[in-house]
Amino acid sequence: MKKQLLNLFTFALFTICLLTVISVQAQIRPYRVSDSNIQLLLNRIETRTDTFKRSLNRSLDQSVINNTNREDNINDFVAAFENATDNLKQKFDARESVAADVQEVLVQASFIDRFMRNNRLDALTQRNWGYLRTDLSRLAGYYNVAFNLEGVPVNDSSNTAYRAADRDVQGLLTRLEQRTDSYKREMNNALDRSALNDTRSEQTIFAYITDFESATDRLKQKFDARTSTSADVEEVLSRANFLDNVMRDYRFTAGAENDWRLIRTDLNTLSRYYSVTTIYDRPFTPASRFDQMLTGTYRLNVGQSDNVREVVGRATNIYTPNQRDNVTRNLERRLSPPETLAIEKRNNQVTIASNMAQQITFDADGVARTETTPNGRTIKVTAKTYYD
């Protein structure tokens, strides 16, 4: 009898302990609603993110932001937001989600929200983002996290200088290091094939690249030691500014220019993470130094020029007096130069005007075009540029 009572007491005690554990686990859950409510909300956020992304892409394609760094930025924002929500969903499924995971989602959403407030997109895209904001507000409430996309605190416990997760900054700095190495190799080949080879300009450009590389290395070292600041990022951007001017002033290989575009995109992301103002919002369109040198207004230097009348006179001595007058007039009309000449060259497009003729614009792209002269004759004209 005593043994049966002992077994019954032991079973009761085990049951009480088990219920206590279940009760404690329920109490320490980071959210204050049922699992099914969280699951439903996360699925809806995922669906609405896809809808927002589609409408955003259509809106950007029809806006002045298309094919600019701002478009690259918002695409990066959306990708980072998707990664954060995916991470939260995976942790929730594994019953490991915490308030910090929701905080990361809100951090990434704050970048999108700021973009949507600063750029006028179509009503559908704005409405879709409004739906997502509502869901994010509900998500923050479920996990007892303050909801304020206009000023989301980030990494409060670590007192860091950047507004992103450690892994995001680490990945960005690693990618920037790799792209800088690739850019350096491409520039080495490009300079060897350019008119700058073995000149002081080539040495200066390589000095810029080395300074930029050193600045990014210092930033990465300080980040690893958790001592990086916005001043370190400003130093990187300052060094990059010299290279950006070089890439705009000269034409290099397509590989070098593409590598620099990728680096600029990373620098925009870096400046956003550290809340530093960047100068790389303008589109990257390298301009030929030759175009800049050629464009301008020119005046004929009479003292260093041949006299047209004397040259024509010597060339028409073979004609009879009656023929000579007619040939002389035609030659002088064709050979007499303008007193002033204005030229503007932008890539393949050339504009020319003078005091003797109206302004004309043509494309020096190697394509043959058929034109009609004032006297009705049809001629084919081809213009082409070769490097500078």
Side-chain angles (χ1 to χ4, degrees), residues 248-297:
R248 289 176 183 277
D249 288 344
Y250 295 93
R251 282 195 176 279
F252 297 107
T253 61
E257 291 178 359
N258 183 63
D259 281 349
W260 183 246
R261 285 188 180 91
L262 295 175
I263 289 175
R264 278 169 49 96
T265 300
D266 285 343
L267 293 176
N268 278 326
T269 304
L270 179 66
S271 64
R272 188 176 72 248
Y273 282 173
Y274 279 80
S275 301
V276 174
T277 302
T278 179
I279 63 170
Y280 302 115
D281 290 333
R282 53 182 179 165
F284 174 61
T285 51
S288 168
R289 171 67 73 177
F290 178 74
D291 288 2
Q292 298 178 6
M293 294 173 62
L294 179 64
T295 298
T297 302

Side-chain angles (χ1 to χ4, degrees), residues 30-33 38 41-42 45 88 98-107 132-149 152:
Y31 43 87
R32 55 188 184 187
V33 295
I38 298 290
L41 179 60
L42 292 178
I45 288 176
L88 171 62
V98 295
D101 300 318
V102 176
Q103 186 70 49
E104 177 63 18
V105 170
L106 298 181
V107 167
L132 264 174
R133 277 181 58 98
T134 301
D135 285 341
L136 292 174
S137 177
R138 183 171 289 109
L139 178 67
Y142 285 172
Y143 277 81
N144 296 310
V145 174
F147 179 76
N148 178 18
L149 294 187
V152 178

Side-chain angles (χ1 to χ4, degrees), residues 80-142:
F81 174 71
E82 284 182 308
N83 290 337
T85 53
D86 288 344
N87 181 64
L88 171 62
K89 196 169 186 297
Q90 290 169 5
K91 287 192 173 183
F92 170 79
D93 292 339
R95 306 188 70 81
E96 298 174 353
S97 64
V98 295
D101 300 318
V102 176
Q103 186 70 49
E104 177 63 18
V105 170
L106 298 181
V107 167
Q108 301 305 331
S110 69
F111 297 127
I112 302 176
D113 192 64
R114 187 179 300 114
F115 180 92
M116 297 299 293
R117 285 187 280 108
N118 294 336
N119 297 274
R120 296 179 62 86
L121 299 178
D122 60 71
L124 177 61
T125 305
Q126 296 285 356
R127 187 164 59 250
N128 287 336
W129 178 244
Y131 293 149
L132 264 174
R133 277 181 58 98
T134 301
D135 285 341
L136 292 174
S137 177
R138 183 171 289 109
L139 178 67
Y142 285 172

